[in-house]
Amino acid sequence: MLPEIRVGLDKKNVGQLIEYANKDITVQKFTSDAKRFKDEESFENWLKKGRKIYSLVDEDNDLLGISWFGIEGEGFTLALRMYGGARGKGLGYGFLKETMNDFMKSEEYQRAENQEWWL
């Protein structure tokens, strides 16, 4: 079965995200996720910034990756994370492409005066 793309994260996936943020050495080395996703409270506070988050899950609803989009300064920001066994499998490109296309159809993006991006 192919991985599934979903808008948002369910409770199980939030827990997995927090675990990756706090235990995955690569995530800790290259991101600020250990602070951003330290616990459920910090995750909820981060969501209040208006981020739209997508998840990539396997058939057991285990988190394989996330992407998110949001307003940052005068443009938009995006991020992509692939976790554990999903890394190196070629899933990131298709996942980011689909989620970015979906976000670019959103009212938030369509109404924005500045549609520039930064990663």
Side-chain angles (χ1 to χ4, degrees), residues 2-102:
L2 292 173
E4 179 183 352
I5 297 173
R6 298 180 183 163
V7 175
L9 296 166
D10 66 17
K11 189 161 183 66
K12 175 183 178 180
N13 298 146
V14 170
Q16 291 172 326
L17 174 64
I18 291 167
E19 186 171 333
Y20 282 123
N22 289 288
K23 294 183 179 177
D24 186 306
I25 294 168
T26 302
V27 171
Q28 291 177 340
K29 183 176 179 181
F30 295 107
T31 74
S32 299
D33 289 0
K35 180 180 178 187
R36 185 180 287 127
F37 308 131
K38 178 182 176 182
D39 51 31
E40 285 187 40
E41 181 181 3
S42 60
F43 173 76
E44 292 298 326
N45 287 333
W46 175 81
L47 276 182
K48 290 177 185 174
K49 294 180 178 182
R51 306 290 192 235
K52 183 170 185 179
I53 189 168
Y54 296 84
S55 56
L56 184 67
V57 298
D58 67 13
E59 63 274 359
D60 296 321
N61 191 35
D62 287 325
L63 188 63
L64 302 175
I66 62 169
S67 65
W68 75 76
F69 305 88
I71 295 175
E72 192 72 37
E74 295 185 20
F76 288 87
T77 185
L78 68 94
L80 174 70
R81 307 282 190 269
M82 299 304 292
Y83 300 116
R87 287 192 188 126
K89 304 282 191 223
L91 300 171
Y93 174 77
F95 176 48
L96 182 59
K97 183 178 177 182
E98 284 194 43
T99 58
M100 188 169 193
N101 284 337
D102 185 74

